């Protein structure tokens, strides 16, 4: 989280080097997270120090803790977290000189791990100014799932009048993808449990219940099938129904069905060689503006105090959160 530097940091106040982190001493489950106190070095010349106000909790965080991406023992203790929003309390010499960010600025960061902390140092090149009309919680939760949703939609490249099936349309990524695709003129059919159907209709989505008979329920309202499918669920039902309805596996895009890639479907998981990969990051400023103006909606399912990071991540990892979960610092 910290960076050694010979530059003189410009500080908002003294004592800014104390930090609490939610970290795991071993690879395992979210329950292994413990909040500990430590110190934070002054920011390097190209960095700022951010006093965290809200942290987005993502399924990726649990996967990283599980060791599915590798078990580098030298990386322990592990501090998860990709996205946060907060207030700048110190800036490095380069940032002070160019004036791109200053002490007191409200910012959003989603460019590196280690966000489960009360203060962090971040390269200013990866920061976004938080719109004043957004809460810290809204801003901290939007950019990762929003960028994923934007890439999914851009990869499918819907045109006006096409029909797109979204699996998990009431979840954080699915809900945003639906709104973005509708803005492109697409007709959206979205799978969700019945309790979410009315909310989806309000967005312009035609909801269908998942479960046995899903393919026929979609055909009942779209007899010729669909032009593309966006999968945020990853189970066999979602993949098999998508293949049957779309016909071409190259028009089925998934962020979760990575065990079914032998079927020819297209993974969207952040790798730079994937379709519309550049959209994942490039879309973030526009998403923040759209949320601030009300052009898109993004409900937060639950908030937890920072000290309950383990409980928050456990909920997200269970798949029962429904939408975004946020840690609140303060």
């Amino acid at each position: 989280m910290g960076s050694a530097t010979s530059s003189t940091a410009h500080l908002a106040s003294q004592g800014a080097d104390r930090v609490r982190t939610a970290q795991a001493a071993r690879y395992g489950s979210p329950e292994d997270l413990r909040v500990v106190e430590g110190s934070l070095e002054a920011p390097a010349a190209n960095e700022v120090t951010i006093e965290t106000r809200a942290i987005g909790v993502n399924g990726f965080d649990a996967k990283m803790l599980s060791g599915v991406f590798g078990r580098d023992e030298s990386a322990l203790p592990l501090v998860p977290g990709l996205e946060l929003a907060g207030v700048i309390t110190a800036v490095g010499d380069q940032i002070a000189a160019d004036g791109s960010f200053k002490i007191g600025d409200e910012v959003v960061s989603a460019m590196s791990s280690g966000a489960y902390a009360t203060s962090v140092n971040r390269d200013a090149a990866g920061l976004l100014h938080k719109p004043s009309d957004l809460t810290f919680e809204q801003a901290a939760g939007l950019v990762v799932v929003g960028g994923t949703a934007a890439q999914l939609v851009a990869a499918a490249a819907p045109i006006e009048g096409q029909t797109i099936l979204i699996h998990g349309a009431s979840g954080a990524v699915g809900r945003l993808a639906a709104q973005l695709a509708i803005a492109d003129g697409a007709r959206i059919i979205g799978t969700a449990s019945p309790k979410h159907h009315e909310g989806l209709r309000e967005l312009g989505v035609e909801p269908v219940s998942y479960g046995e008979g899903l393919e026929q329920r979609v055909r009942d309202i779209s007899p010729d099938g669909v032009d593309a499918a966006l999968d945020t669920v990853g189970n066999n039902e979602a993949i098999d129904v998508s293949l049957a309805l779309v016909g071409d596996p190259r028009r089925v895009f998934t962020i979760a069905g990575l065990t079914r890639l032998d079927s020819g479907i297209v993974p969207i998981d952040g790798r730079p060689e994937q379709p519309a990969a550049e959209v994942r990051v490039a879309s973030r400023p526009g998403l923040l503006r759209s949320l601030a103006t009300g052009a898109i909606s993004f409900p937060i399912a639950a908030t937890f105090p920072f000290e309950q990071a383990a409980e928050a991540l456990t909920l997200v990892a269970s798949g029962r959160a429904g939408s975004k979960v946020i840690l609140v610092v303060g």
Side-chain angles (χ1 to χ4, degrees):
M1 283 184 303
S3 298
T5 176
S6 60
S7 66
T8 302
H10 299 255
L11 304 175
S13 63
Q14 298 300 315
D17 61 342
R18 304 308 298 171
V19 60
R20 287 176 294 140
T21 61
Q23 62 183 44
R26 63 181 182 180
Y27 290 97
S29 67
E31 289 82 0
D32 292 315
L33 285 174
R34 298 290 183 272
V35 175
V36 302
E37 185 170 317
S39 61
L40 184 69
E41 299 172 0
N46 63 328
E47 290 182 332
V48 304
T49 300
I50 304 169
E51 182 181 90
T52 309
R53 299 293 177 82
I55 302 162
V57 182
N58 294 287
F60 178 89
D61 305 342
K63 290 179 180 178
M64 185 175 71
L65 281 180
S66 74
V68 69
F69 300 126
R71 291 175 171 263
D72 181 2
E73 298 296 323
S74 68
L76 298 174
L78 200 62
V79 181
L82 296 173
E83 55 185 344
L84 60 85
V87 179
I88 293 177
T89 57
V91 298
D93 285 348
Q94 178 181 319
I95 308 307
D98 67 29
S100 54
F101 292 93
K102 61 184 183 298
I103 291 169
D105 282 354
E106 297 180 349
V107 294
V108 183
S109 172
M111 297 301 292
S112 60
S113 61
Y116 286 24
T118 56
S119 288
V120 297
N121 289 334
R122 285 290 184 265
D123 189 323
L127 295 184
L128 298 169
H129 287 282
K130 181 184 78 66
S132 59
D133 291 338
L134 291 185
T135 66
F136 287 105
E137 291 82 3
Q138 289 174 310
L142 176 67
V143 289
V144 168
V145 293
T148 301
Q151 185 184 355
L152 268 174
V153 174
I159 60 175
E160 189 166 356
Q162 286 189 328
T163 299
I164 308 297
L165 174 64
I166 299 180
H167 295 279
S170 64
V173 174
R175 181 185 176 94
L176 287 167
Q179 294 174 81
L180 295 173
I182 287 171
D184 287 338
R187 174 197 183 196
I188 302 300
I189 299 172
T191 71
S193 63
K195 67 181 179 180
H196 295 299
H197 285 192
E198 186 55 38
L200 290 174
R201 289 191 187 97
E202 292 174 358
L203 295 177
V205 177
E206 298 175 53
V208 293
S209 298
Y210 51 75
E212 185 177 354
L214 173 60
E215 180 185 343
Q216 187 57 52
R217 285 191 292 277
V218 176
R219 290 195 184 278
D220 287 344
I221 59 175
S222 186
D224 296 328
V226 298
D227 296 289
L230 310 182
D231 167 49
T232 73
V233 177
N235 59 25
N236 286 331
E237 174 188 76
I239 303 304
D240 291 340
V241 168
S242 295
L243 290 169
L245 291 167
V246 177
D248 182 356
R250 295 170 299 178
R251 296 289 295 159
V252 178
F253 304 88
T254 183
I255 66 170
L258 303 184
T259 62
R260 294 291 308 274
L261 298 185
D262 58 350
S263 64
I265 62 177
V266 181
I268 301 292
D269 60 8
R271 286 177 287 178
E273 69 273 15
Q274 292 172 344
E278 71 284 354
V279 172
R280 184 175 286 252
V281 173
S283 64
R284 290 172 177 173
L287 288 165
L288 287 168
R289 288 192 298 270
S290 293
L291 185 59
T293 62
I296 59 174
S297 68
F298 181 64
I300 294 172
T303 61
F304 288 77
F306 178 75
E307 290 73 20
Q308 294 181 15
E311 291 88 340
L313 187 52
T314 297
L315 174 61
V316 170
S318 74
R320 297 192 300 271
S323 190
K324 195 69 180 192
V325 173
I326 303 293
L327 293 177
V328 177
V329 183

